Amino acid sequence: MTLGPTILPVFEQLGMLEELQRFSLNVKPFVLRNEKMKIHGTVGLNGEKEVAGYNGQLFARPELFDLLLSRIPPSKISLGKKVLRVEEKDDKVIIHCSDGSAYRGDILVGADGAYSAVRQNIYRDMKEAGVLPKADSEDLVAGYTCIVGVTDPLDLEKYPMLKSPDCNSEFMGVESRSWVLMSIPNGRVAWACSSQFQSVVEAKKQMFMNSEWGPEANAPMIKEYEDYPIPYGGTMRDLFEKTPMERISKVYLEHKMFQTWHYKRSVLIGDACHKLLPAGGQGAVNSLQDAVILANCLYDLKDNTQKSITAAFQSYFNQRYSHAKGQYETSKLLAKVVGGLNWSERLIRTIFLHYLPQTIVKNNLKKVSAYRPQVTFLPMVPFRGTGNVLPQLPSVRYQRELDEKKKQEQQDAAVTI
């Protein structure tokens, strides 16, 4: 998992950046190889910190979860809950769970993934009311089946490249299959093996079989990849044998940009409203940016009336949609550059790797990294790097609180004199 300059300022605001860096490696350009380990080229650009002020960070996802959970009181978290139904009553939103419990609140934030139960509930209500856009009722687009895992610490003498403070990222591909390796701290390797669907029919068939997935269902796909070579020497079998089965997951690589992000007192963030392909490493980043902007909008709520809540949700959507849409399109393009294996996608990769001027790549980095939203009700961290930074809406409430605090300090000083 990676986080970059467009979200790391928020971790600095929250006092978590140094902790994040302790279990991370610096992201470097991605190396692309064929099945014989011959290098096609690289994706990415050195000098990210110079332009954007931060190095991208790569790490194992569970360690980020542990960091975030360490900041939340345990009493605020309920596990093992499955949302069955959402309703609104008496100016409250109520969620009903499968265990019979129910929860009431002023708003509901659906951060529950690509197959969000919250989204399904609010879309059902919108469809009944005749206000759901047709595109939002269509299925996600599935492009790949993928298994992912993280090894135990490996022998650094056998794999000396794992000693580097920078991430060693390698992508290999043949026909409709690809395998990816990324070094992470403590001498471990995060890996992924993907199989590209050849048709929409095949994709839907595989999605229908989703309920059969589990640790035992991963074995056939692992078998298909175990003899593929890796640039470290040896084959994928060596890494599979160092990966506990409970640390292997099978997922779909799907994508869709939803048009509707909120309705009445419910709002969506992350994969629930925009599912990106992972090639650009922007899925988690965009989810976190959603959370930042939504928090800013909620902080400035005048009251808990439907009118105020709708205005806050719409402001969140207006600030986020175009940026998320841009990253959505970029992720689709990079999926073709990095992982596309049919003839047209190979052509795109060849053009991108060998004929695209580096000035265009650098200018794109400047454009993307200019969007670095921060929490507007906390002290802002200074802008770093040589690139420009886009302005964001200030917090009216926070500015008023600062003005009142300054006024009080001046009054106290006058009394002391």
Side-chain angles (χ1 to χ4, degrees):
M1 180 175 179
T2 61
L3 295 178
T6 57
I7 194 62
L8 290 178
V10 175
F11 280 79
E12 187 171 356
Q13 278 187 295
L14 297 173
M16 296 192 293
L17 182 58
E18 290 186 3
E19 290 181 71
L20 177 70
Q21 291 171 331
R22 279 199 286 271
F23 57 76
S24 305
L25 295 181
N26 293 330
V27 173
K28 292 295 180 182
F30 214 102
V31 179
L32 276 72
R33 301 175 184 264
N34 63 15
E35 71 278 12
K36 296 181 180 179
M37 299 300 101
K38 180 181 177 180
I39 295 178
H40 286 307
T42 59
V43 175
L45 182 72
N46 286 312
E48 182 179 45
K49 186 174 183 178
E50 176 187 352
V51 173
Y54 299 83
N55 282 317
Q57 302 293 302
L58 186 141
F59 46 84
R61 185 183 298 263
E63 289 164 353
L64 175 64
F65 291 166
D66 290 341
L67 174 59
L68 296 176
L69 286 170
S70 72
R71 299 302 200 274
I72 304 173
S75 61
K76 299 291 185 179
I77 300 174
S78 295
L79 301 175
K81 298 291 183 178
K82 181 179 180 180
V83 177
L84 292 181
R85 183 167 59 92
V86 177
E87 66 172 333
E88 293 195 18
K89 186 177 180 181
D90 300 328
D91 292 328
K92 296 290 182 181
V93 60
I94 307 168
I95 58 173
H96 298 270
C97 300
S98 58
D99 61 1
S101 60
Y103 299 85
R104 296 167 59 90
D106 294 314
I107 65 170
L108 171 61
V109 180
D112 50 343
Y115 288 91
S116 166
V118 175
R119 187 185 69 239
Q120 292 173 29
N121 274 273
I122 65 176
Y123 278 17
R124 180 200 62 221
D125 293 344
M126 292 180 70
K127 190 173 183 178
E128 291 176 356
V131 294
L132 180 68
K134 181 180 178 181
D136 283 342
S137 63
E138 297 171 354
D139 292 335
L140 283 81
V141 180
Y144 305 83
T145 305
C146 183
I147 52 172
V148 298
V150 177
T151 69
D152 285 331
L154 302 176
D155 183 349
L156 296 184
E157 298 307 315
K158 183 177 180 180
Y159 302 102
M161 68 290 297
L162 301 182
K163 297 178 182 179
S164 173
D166 298 324
C167 173
N168 181 283
S169 301
E170 304 272 359
F171 173 91
M172 289 68 64
V174 56
E175 297 179 351
S176 62
R177 295 178 180 176
S178 63
W179 55 108
V180 182
L181 311 178
M182 291 173 284
S183 60
I184 58 177
N186 301 320
R188 296 169 296 162
V189 172
W191 54 263
C193 300
S194 301
S195 178
Q196 189 175 31
F197 292 127
Q198 298 303 301
S199 68
V200 174
V201 173
E202 181 190 359
K204 289 185 176 181
K205 179 181 178 181
Q206 290 293 326
M207 292 175 72
F208 179 76
M209 297 168 61
N210 184 48
S211 61
E212 300 177 13
W213 287 5
E216 66 287 346
N218 296 331
M221 192 168 179
I222 289 174
K223 186 74 174 176
E224 294 175 4
Y225 284 84
E226 62 184 11
D227 292 327
Y228 283 121
I230 59 177
Y232 305 154
T235 67
M236 286 298 297
R237 180 186 289 106
D238 300 323
L239 302 182
F240 294 153
E241 290 175 350
K242 294 292 185 179
T243 306
M245 287 300 293
E246 66 272 12
R247 216 179 290 153
I248 299 176
S249 301
K250 190 175 183 181
V251 296
Y252 283 124
L253 302 186
E254 303 163 293
H255 62 93
K256 181 166 182 176
M257 191 76 190
F258 292 94
Q259 298 178 19
T260 305
W261 291 19
H262 66 90
Y263 184 61
K264 294 184 178 179
R265 291 178 176 267
S266 298
V267 63
L268 306 171
I269 69 173
D271 286 359
C273 55
H274 48 68
K275 180 66 173 72
L276 278 61
L277 290 170
Q282 293 297 307
V285 170
N286 274 267
S287 297
L288 292 168
Q289 289 173 340
D290 288 349
V292 169
I293 298 301
L294 179 59
N296 290 342
C297 294
L298 295 179
Y299 188 81
D300 277 340
L301 267 176
K302 295 179 180 179
D303 50 51
N304 64 353
T305 62
Q306 182 65 70
K307 180 179 179 180
S308 293
I309 289 171
T310 298
F313 288 171
Q314 188 60 40
S315 178
Y316 152 69
F317 175 84
N318 293 342
Q319 292 180 62
R320 283 291 301 139
Y321 184 83
S322 63
H323 295 288
K325 177 70 171 176
Q327 288 300 314
Y328 171 75
E329 296 297 341
T330 298
S331 73
K332 289 198 297 181
L333 173 61
L334 287 176
K336 294 178 180 179
V337 172
V338 175
L341 298 172
N342 61 41
W343 73 267
S344 62
E345 292 166 337
R346 291 193 190 101
L347 178 61
I348 292 173
R349 177 162 54 246
T350 298
I351 294 172
F352 187 92
L353 294 178
H354 302 294
Y355 298 101
L356 190 68
Q358 285 297 293
T359 53
I360 294 179
V361 179
K362 188 170 184 178
N363 288 336
N364 184 65
L365 172 61
K366 290 181 178 179
K367 179 181 178 181
V368 172
S369 63
Y371 180 67
R372 308 179 214 172
Q374 296 190 37
V375 180
T376 54
F377 53 89
L378 293 177
M380 306 285 275
V381 301
F383 297 138
R384 300 191 174 91
T386 59
N388 295 324
V389 177
L390 295 177
Q392 64 182 109
L393 293 177
S395 169
V396 175
R397 175 183 167 188
Y398 184 62
Q399 187 58 53
R400 182 174 66 248
E401 291 173 347
L402 288 180
D403 291 341
E404 291 174 352
K405 181 179 179 180
K406 183 177 180 180
K407 182 178 179 180
Q408 185 61 51
E409 290 174 345
Q410 291 174 341
Q411 292 175 347
D412 293 343
V415 170
T416 302
I417 292 173

mmCIF file of all heavy atoms in Angstrom, residues 275-309:
data_model
loop_
_atom_site.group_PDB
_atom_site.id
_atom_site.type_symbol
_atom_site.label_atom_id
_atom_site.label_comp_id
_atom_site.label_asym_id
_atom_site.label_seq_id
_atom_site.Cartn_x
_atom_site.Cartn_y
_atom_site.Cartn_z
ATOM 1 N N LYS A 275 -14.461 3.482 -7.058
ATOM 2 C CA LYS A 275 -13.561 2.321 -6.970
ATOM 3 C C LYS A 275 -12.515 2.444 -8.060
ATOM 4 O O LYS A 275 -12.812 2.351 -9.248
ATOM 5 C CB LYS A 275 -14.365 1.027 -7.127
ATOM 6 C CG LYS A 275 -13.502 -0.233 -7.036
ATOM 7 C CD LYS A 275 -12.925 -0.387 -5.633
ATOM 8 C CE LYS A 275 -12.202 -1.726 -5.483
ATOM 9 N NZ LYS A 275 -10.915 -1.749 -6.230
ATOM 10 N N LEU A 276 -11.263 2.659 -7.643
ATOM 11 C CA LEU A 276 -10.165 2.834 -8.580
ATOM 12 C C LEU A 276 -9.373 1.548 -8.742
ATOM 13 O O LEU A 276 -9.266 0.756 -7.798
ATOM 14 C CB LEU A 276 -9.210 3.932 -8.093
ATOM 15 C CG LEU A 276 -9.567 5.399 -8.380
ATOM 16 C CD1 LEU A 276 -10.883 5.797 -7.733
ATOM 17 C CD2 LEU A 276 -8.447 6.317 -7.906
ATOM 18 N N LEU A 277 -8.807 1.345 -9.914
ATOM 19 C CA LEU A 277 -7.850 0.264 -10.098
ATOM 20 C C LEU A 277 -6.574 0.610 -9.341
ATOM 21 O O LEU A 277 -6.226 1.792 -9.210
ATOM 22 C CB LEU A 277 -7.549 0.068 -11.588
ATOM 23 C CG LEU A 277 -8.698 -0.518 -12.422
ATOM 24 C CD1 LEU A 277 -8.367 -0.443 -13.908
ATOM 25 C CD2 LEU A 277 -8.993 -1.949 -12.014
ATOM 26 N N PRO A 278 -5.840 -0.381 -8.835
ATOM 27 C CA PRO A 278 -4.704 -0.102 -7.951
ATOM 28 C C PRO A 278 -3.423 0.329 -8.651
ATOM 29 O O PRO A 278 -2.450 0.678 -7.983
ATOM 30 C CB PRO A 278 -4.499 -1.443 -7.236
ATOM 31 C CG PRO A 278 -4.964 -2.458 -8.219
ATOM 32 C CD PRO A 278 -6.135 -1.826 -8.923
ATOM 33 N N ALA A 279 -3.402 0.331 -10.000
ATOM 34 C CA ALA A 279 -2.158 0.608 -10.711
ATOM 35 C C ALA A 279 -1.557 1.960 -10.348
ATOM 36 O O ALA A 279 -0.340 2.119 -10.284
ATOM 37 C CB ALA A 279 -2.395 0.534 -12.223
ATOM 38 N N GLY A 280 -2.387 2.951 -10.096
ATOM 39 C CA GLY A 280 -1.877 4.274 -9.771
ATOM 40 C C GLY A 280 -1.568 4.472 -8.306
ATOM 41 O O GLY A 280 -1.033 5.517 -7.911
ATOM 42 N N GLY A 281 -1.908 3.480 -7.470
ATOM 43 C CA GLY A 281 -1.657 3.605 -6.037
ATOM 44 C C GLY A 281 -2.434 4.735 -5.388
ATOM 45 O O GLY A 281 -1.980 5.325 -4.405
ATOM 46 N N GLN A 282 -3.644 5.039 -5.912
ATOM 47 C CA GLN A 282 -4.388 6.196 -5.433
ATOM 48 C C GLN A 282 -5.711 5.851 -4.762
ATOM 49 O O GLN A 282 -6.440 6.748 -4.341
ATOM 50 C CB GLN A 282 -4.665 7.146 -6.605
ATOM 51 C CG GLN A 282 -3.416 7.798 -7.176
ATOM 52 C CD GLN A 282 -2.727 8.690 -6.157
ATOM 53 O OE1 GLN A 282 -3.353 9.574 -5.561
ATOM 54 N NE2 GLN A 282 -1.452 8.458 -5.934
ATOM 55 N N GLY A 283 -6.042 4.566 -4.643
ATOM 56 C CA GLY A 283 -7.315 4.202 -4.027
ATOM 57 C C GLY A 283 -7.424 4.651 -2.586
ATOM 58 O O GLY A 283 -8.376 5.346 -2.200
ATOM 59 N N ALA A 284 -6.442 4.283 -1.772
ATOM 60 C CA ALA A 284 -6.455 4.673 -0.357
ATOM 61 C C ALA A 284 -6.288 6.173 -0.199
ATOM 62 O O ALA A 284 -6.912 6.795 0.671
ATOM 63 C CB ALA A 284 -5.354 3.929 0.397
ATOM 64 N N VAL A 285 -5.447 6.774 -1.042
ATOM 65 C CA VAL A 285 -5.216 8.222 -0.968
ATOM 66 C C VAL A 285 -6.522 8.972 -1.170
ATOM 67 O O VAL A 285 -6.858 9.890 -0.401
ATOM 68 C CB VAL A 285 -4.181 8.658 -2.021
ATOM 69 C CG1 VAL A 285 -4.120 10.184 -2.107
ATOM 70 C CG2 VAL A 285 -2.801 8.114 -1.676
ATOM 71 N N ASN A 286 -7.281 8.592 -2.190
ATOM 72 C CA ASN A 286 -8.538 9.287 -2.459
ATOM 73 C C ASN A 286 -9.562 9.053 -1.359
ATOM 74 O O ASN A 286 -10.353 9.944 -1.033
ATOM 75 C CB ASN A 286 -9.090 8.857 -3.815
ATOM 76 C CG ASN A 286 -8.506 9.666 -4.950
ATOM 77 O OD1 ASN A 286 -9.074 10.677 -5.356
ATOM 78 N ND2 ASN A 286 -7.360 9.250 -5.452
ATOM 79 N N SER A 287 -9.558 7.882 -0.760
ATOM 80 C CA SER A 287 -10.464 7.623 0.363
ATOM 81 C C SER A 287 -10.138 8.536 1.546
ATOM 82 O O SER A 287 -11.038 9.101 2.186
ATOM 83 C CB SER A 287 -10.351 6.157 0.796
ATOM 84 O OG SER A 287 -10.758 5.293 -0.235
ATOM 85 N N LEU A 288 -8.852 8.691 1.818
ATOM 86 C CA LEU A 288 -8.436 9.558 2.920
ATOM 87 C C LEU A 288 -8.717 11.023 2.615
ATOM 88 O O LEU A 288 -9.101 11.795 3.505
ATOM 89 C CB LEU A 288 -6.948 9.344 3.215
ATOM 90 C CG LEU A 288 -6.596 7.975 3.810
ATOM 91 C CD1 LEU A 288 -5.084 7.749 3.789
ATOM 92 C CD2 LEU A 288 -7.121 7.840 5.236
ATOM 93 N N GLN A 289 -8.539 11.422 1.364
ATOM 94 C CA GLN A 289 -8.876 12.796 0.985
ATOM 95 C C GLN A 289 -10.366 13.055 1.147
ATOM 96 O O GLN A 289 -10.779 14.143 1.581
ATOM 97 C CB GLN A 289 -8.433 13.064 -0.457
ATOM 98 C CG GLN A 289 -6.930 13.153 -0.624
ATOM 99 C CD GLN A 289 -6.508 13.256 -2.076
ATOM 100 O OE1 GLN A 289 -7.261 12.912 -2.986
ATOM 101 N NE2 GLN A 289 -5.299 13.733 -2.313
ATOM 102 N N ASP A 290 -11.195 12.064 0.800
ATOM 103 C CA ASP A 290 -12.635 12.186 1.052
ATOM 104 C C ASP A 290 -12.898 12.476 2.527
ATOM 105 O O ASP A 290 -13.677 13.370 2.876
ATOM 106 C CB ASP A 290 -13.355 10.878 0.693
ATOM 107 C CG ASP A 290 -13.450 10.630 -0.794
ATOM 108 O OD1 ASP A 290 -13.147 11.535 -1.586
ATOM 109 O OD2 ASP A 290 -13.830 9.505 -1.164
ATOM 110 N N ALA A 291 -12.258 11.683 3.380
ATOM 111 C CA ALA A 291 -12.482 11.825 4.824
ATOM 112 C C ALA A 291 -12.076 13.210 5.310
ATOM 113 O O ALA A 291 -12.766 13.823 6.143
ATOM 114 C CB ALA A 291 -11.704 10.748 5.580
ATOM 115 N N VAL A 292 -10.975 13.725 4.788
ATOM 116 C CA VAL A 292 -10.484 15.054 5.192
ATOM 117 C C VAL A 292 -11.486 16.130 4.797
ATOM 118 O O VAL A 292 -11.878 16.978 5.617
ATOM 119 C CB VAL A 292 -9.111 15.330 4.559
ATOM 120 C CG1 VAL A 292 -8.716 16.804 4.748
ATOM 121 C CG2 VAL A 292 -8.046 14.432 5.174
ATOM 122 N N ILE A 293 -11.898 16.133 3.535
ATOM 123 C CA ILE A 293 -12.807 17.174 3.056
ATOM 124 C C ILE A 293 -14.176 17.062 3.728
ATOM 125 O O ILE A 293 -14.787 18.071 4.097
ATOM 126 C CB ILE A 293 -12.955 17.115 1.530
ATOM 127 C CG1 ILE A 293 -11.603 17.378 0.857
ATOM 128 C CG2 ILE A 293 -13.984 18.132 1.045
ATOM 129 C CD1 ILE A 293 -10.985 18.717 1.193
ATOM 130 N N LEU A 294 -14.670 15.832 3.902
ATOM 131 C CA LEU A 294 -15.959 15.668 4.577
ATOM 132 C C LEU A 294 -15.876 16.175 6.011
ATOM 133 O O LEU A 294 -16.799 16.857 6.495
ATOM 134 C CB LEU A 294 -16.385 14.199 4.552
ATOM 135 C CG LEU A 294 -17.718 13.882 5.240
ATOM 136 C CD1 LEU A 294 -18.858 14.674 4.612
ATOM 137 C CD2 LEU A 294 -18.014 12.385 5.198
ATOM 138 N N ALA A 295 -14.784 15.860 6.704
ATOM 139 C CA ALA A 295 -14.615 16.347 8.082
ATOM 140 C C ALA A 295 -14.606 17.877 8.111
ATOM 141 O O ALA A 295 -15.204 18.489 9.008
ATOM 142 C CB ALA A 295 -13.323 15.795 8.676
ATOM 143 N N ASN A 296 -13.936 18.486 7.138
ATOM 144 C CA ASN A 296 -13.923 19.955 7.070
ATOM 145 C C ASN A 296 -15.335 20.513 6.915
ATOM 146 O O ASN A 296 -15.713 21.499 7.566
ATOM 147 C CB ASN A 296 -13.065 20.425 5.891
ATOM 148 C CG ASN A 296 -11.585 20.181 6.100
ATOM 149 O OD1 ASN A 296 -11.130 19.962 7.224
ATOM 150 N ND2 ASN A 296 -10.830 20.207 5.018
ATOM 151 N N CYS A 297 -16.123 19.888 6.048
ATOM 152 C CA CYS A 297 -17.485 20.359 5.804
ATOM 153 C C CYS A 297 -18.371 20.158 7.032
ATOM 154 O O CYS A 297 -19.201 21.021 7.365
ATOM 155 C CB CYS A 297 -18.082 19.634 4.603
ATOM 156 S SG CYS A 297 -17.270 20.023 3.027
ATOM 157 N N LEU A 298 -18.217 19.035 7.717
ATOM 158 C CA LEU A 298 -19.021 18.771 8.909
ATOM 159 C C LEU A 298 -18.646 19.709 10.055
ATOM 160 O O LEU A 298 -19.504 20.107 10.859
ATOM 161 C CB LEU A 298 -18.854 17.313 9.345
ATOM 162 C CG LEU A 298 -19.388 16.263 8.374
ATOM 163 C CD1 LEU A 298 -19.128 14.860 8.919
ATOM 164 C CD2 LEU A 298 -20.870 16.463 8.096
ATOM 165 N N TYR A 299 -17.358 20.077 10.120
ATOM 166 C CA TYR A 299 -16.922 20.984 11.181
ATOM 167 C C TYR A 299 -17.628 22.332 11.073
ATOM 168 O O TYR A 299 -17.897 22.984 12.084
ATOM 169 C CB TYR A 299 -15.407 21.175 11.095
ATOM 170 C CG TYR A 299 -14.815 21.946 12.248
ATOM 171 C CD1 TYR A 299 -14.555 21.313 13.467
ATOM 172 C CD2 TYR A 299 -14.520 23.297 12.133
ATOM 173 C CE1 TYR A 299 -14.014 22.012 14.533
ATOM 174 C CE2 TYR A 299 -13.973 24.016 13.189
ATOM 175 C CZ TYR A 299 -13.721 23.364 14.388
ATOM 176 O OH TYR A 299 -13.180 24.067 15.447
ATOM 177 N N ASP A 300 -17.949 22.733 9.848
ATOM 178 C CA ASP A 300 -18.585 24.033 9.631
ATOM 179 C C ASP A 300 -20.105 23.977 9.610
ATOM 180 O O ASP A 300 -20.767 24.966 9.275
ATOM 181 C CB ASP A 300 -18.082 24.642 8.314
ATOM 182 C CG ASP A 300 -16.751 25.369 8.476
ATOM 183 O OD1 ASP A 300 -16.416 25.737 9.616
ATOM 184 O OD2 ASP A 300 -16.054 25.572 7.470
ATOM 185 N N LEU A 301 -20.689 22.822 9.958
ATOM 186 C CA LEU A 301 -22.149 22.715 9.994
ATOM 187 C C LEU A 301 -22.748 23.767 10.930
ATOM 188 O O LEU A 301 -22.300 23.937 12.070
ATOM 189 C CB LEU A 301 -22.564 21.328 10.485
ATOM 190 C CG LEU A 301 -22.834 20.240 9.455
ATOM 191 C CD1 LEU A 301 -23.134 18.927 10.166
ATOM 192 C CD2 LEU A 301 -23.982 20.620 8.529
ATOM 193 N N LYS A 302 -23.787 24.451 10.464
ATOM 194 C CA LYS A 302 -24.466 25.444 11.304
ATOM 195 C C LYS A 302 -25.356 24.772 12.347
ATOM 196 O O LYS A 302 -25.466 25.211 13.489
ATOM 197 C CB LYS A 302 -25.306 26.376 10.428
ATOM 198 C CG LYS A 302 -24.490 27.230 9.469
ATOM 199 C CD LYS A 302 -25.408 28.112 8.630
ATOM 200 C CE LYS A 302 -24.596 28.961 7.662
ATOM 201 N NZ LYS A 302 -25.468 29.825 6.808
ATOM 202 N N ASP A 303 -26.022 23.693 11.922
ATOM 203 C CA ASP A 303 -26.910 22.935 12.807
ATOM 204 C C ASP A 303 -27.130 21.568 12.176
ATOM 205 O O ASP A 303 -26.527 21.246 11.154
ATOM 206 C CB ASP A 303 -28.247 23.672 13.026
ATOM 207 C CG ASP A 303 -28.873 24.114 11.708
ATOM 208 O OD1 ASP A 303 -28.998 23.256 10.801
ATOM 209 O OD2 ASP A 303 -29.241 25.298 11.564
ATOM 210 N N ASN A 304 -27.995 20.760 12.794
ATOM 211 C CA ASN A 304 -28.204 19.402 12.285
ATOM 212 C C ASN A 304 -29.498 19.258 11.490
ATOM 213 O O ASN A 304 -30.046 18.157 11.374
ATOM 214 C CB ASN A 304 -28.171 18.381 13.425
ATOM 215 C CG ASN A 304 -29.305 18.595 14.420
ATOM 216 O OD1 ASN A 304 -30.042 19.581 14.342
ATOM 217 N ND2 ASN A 304 -29.445 17.675 15.365
ATOM 218 N N THR A 305 -29.977 20.371 10.924
ATOM 219 C CA THR A 305 -31.163 20.294 10.074
ATOM 220 C C THR A 305 -30.806 19.647 8.740
ATOM 221 O O THR A 305 -29.642 19.638 8.322
ATOM 222 C CB THR A 305 -31.748 21.691 9.814
ATOM 223 O OG1 THR A 305 -30.768 22.479 9.109
ATOM 224 C CG2 THR A 305 -32.102 22.387 11.127
ATOM 225 N N GLN A 306 -31.827 19.104 8.064
ATOM 226 C CA GLN A 306 -31.594 18.472 6.765
ATOM 227 C C GLN A 306 -30.998 19.460 5.769
ATOM 228 O O GLN A 306 -30.125 19.100 4.971
ATOM 229 C CB GLN A 306 -32.898 17.905 6.222
ATOM 230 C CG GLN A 306 -32.750 17.178 4.892
ATOM 231 C CD GLN A 306 -31.886 15.930 5.001
ATOM 232 O OE1 GLN A 306 -32.287 14.947 5.607
ATOM 233 N NE2 GLN A 306 -30.692 15.962 4.424
ATOM 234 N N LYS A 307 -31.433 20.707 5.824
ATOM 235 C CA LYS A 307 -30.935 21.725 4.896
ATOM 236 C C LYS A 307 -29.435 21.937 5.073
ATOM 237 O O LYS A 307 -28.676 21.977 4.091
ATOM 238 C CB LYS A 307 -31.679 23.045 5.114
ATOM 239 C CG LYS A 307 -31.222 24.157 4.176
ATOM 240 C CD LYS A 307 -32.014 25.447 4.423
ATOM 241 C CE LYS A 307 -31.537 26.554 3.488
ATOM 242 N NZ LYS A 307 -32.298 27.826 3.715
ATOM 243 N N SER A 308 -28.981 22.062 6.315
ATOM 244 C CA SER A 308 -27.561 22.273 6.578
ATOM 245 C C SER A 308 -26.730 21.046 6.213
ATOM 246 O O SER A 308 -25.630 21.165 5.667
ATOM 247 C CB SER A 308 -27.342 22.631 8.055
ATOM 248 O OG SER A 308 -27.913 23.886 8.360
ATOM 249 N N ILE A 309 -27.256 19.866 6.530
ATOM 250 C CA ILE A 309 -26.540 18.623 6.224
ATOM 251 C C ILE A 309 -26.409 18.437 4.711
ATOM 252 O O ILE A 309 -25.337 18.082 4.208
ATOM 253 C CB ILE A 309 -27.245 17.424 6.880
ATOM 254 C CG1 ILE A 309 -27.039 17.473 8.400
ATOM 255 C CG2 ILE A 309 -26.735 16.101 6.304
ATOM 256 C CD1 ILE A 309 -27.858 16.471 9.173
#
